Amino acid sequence: MIVSTVDEPVHGAVGLDTTATAAWTCLVRRGMLHSECEAVEHWVLPRGAVLAATPRHGVEEALLVLEGELRLTTETGDRAVRAGQLALVPHGRTARLAADRTEVRLITVRVLAASVADRLPPRVPELVPR
């Protein structure tokens, strides 16, 4: 398993700390999963941190909030996502994730879009006979 941990600079929301960093841990990446999953990541976002999901990422995302509350803004409006809740960001959509009120801990799972995954050969682990 590959585990990477980095403190990443994040964009501060208007009026909040713009020098904050998010603690980011990649728990596993694509080749280790034998699936169309790109990555499973753990984030700790300080109050005021803003993350963006954009179509150029080329993935769909599932966001599971573990602690705190995120404000999820999409083309259809704003929504609060609280601890224990899951939000989905479909492929090709833009979303803004803001930790406006408190620090937020979340897990993100990024998967290839079906339009991409359907064109790939199956990913099957290779077992070497003994």
Side-chain angles (χ1 to χ4, degrees), residues 41-45 63-66 70 104-108:
E41 302 164 332
H42 176 260
W43 290 86
V44 179
L45 303 177
L63 313 160
L64 176 62
V65 177
L66 303 173
L70 273 178
V104 177
R105 267 190 343 113
L106 71 147
I107 296 285
T108 61

Side-chain angles (χ1 to χ4, degrees), residues 103-122:
E103 178 179 275
V104 177
R105 267 190 343 113
L106 71 147
I107 296 285
T108 61
V109 179
R110 298 176 183 202
V111 298
L112 294 175
S115 61
V116 174
D118 290 346
R119 294 183 302 204
L120 295 174

Side-chain angles (χ1 to χ4, degrees), residues 30-119:
R30 68 179 77 130
M32 304 293 292
L33 297 170
H34 301 289
S35 72
E36 279 64 38
C37 186
E38 284 291 296
V40 178
E41 302 164 332
H42 176 260
W43 290 86
V44 179
L45 303 177
R47 182 179 175 271
V50 176
L51 294 177
T54 68
R56 77 172 192 270
H57 292 157
V59 295
E60 297 182 316
E61 294 189 53
L63 313 160
L64 176 62
V65 177
L66 303 173
E67 291 179 6
E69 178 180 306
L70 273 178
R71 184 169 42 86
L72 174 65
T73 304
T74 64
E75 300 89 14
T76 60
D78 286 349
R79 174 179 169 219
V81 185
R82 296 176 182 86
Q85 294 182 326
L86 179 75
L88 302 175
V89 179
H91 174 253
R93 297 286 174 90
T94 298
R96 181 179 186 272
L97 312 162
D100 288 341
R101 299 180 184 185
T102 62
E103 178 179 275
V104 177
R105 267 190 343 113
L106 71 147
I107 296 285
T108 61
V109 179
R110 298 176 183 202
V111 298
L112 294 175
S115 61
V116 174
D118 290 346
R119 294 183 302 204

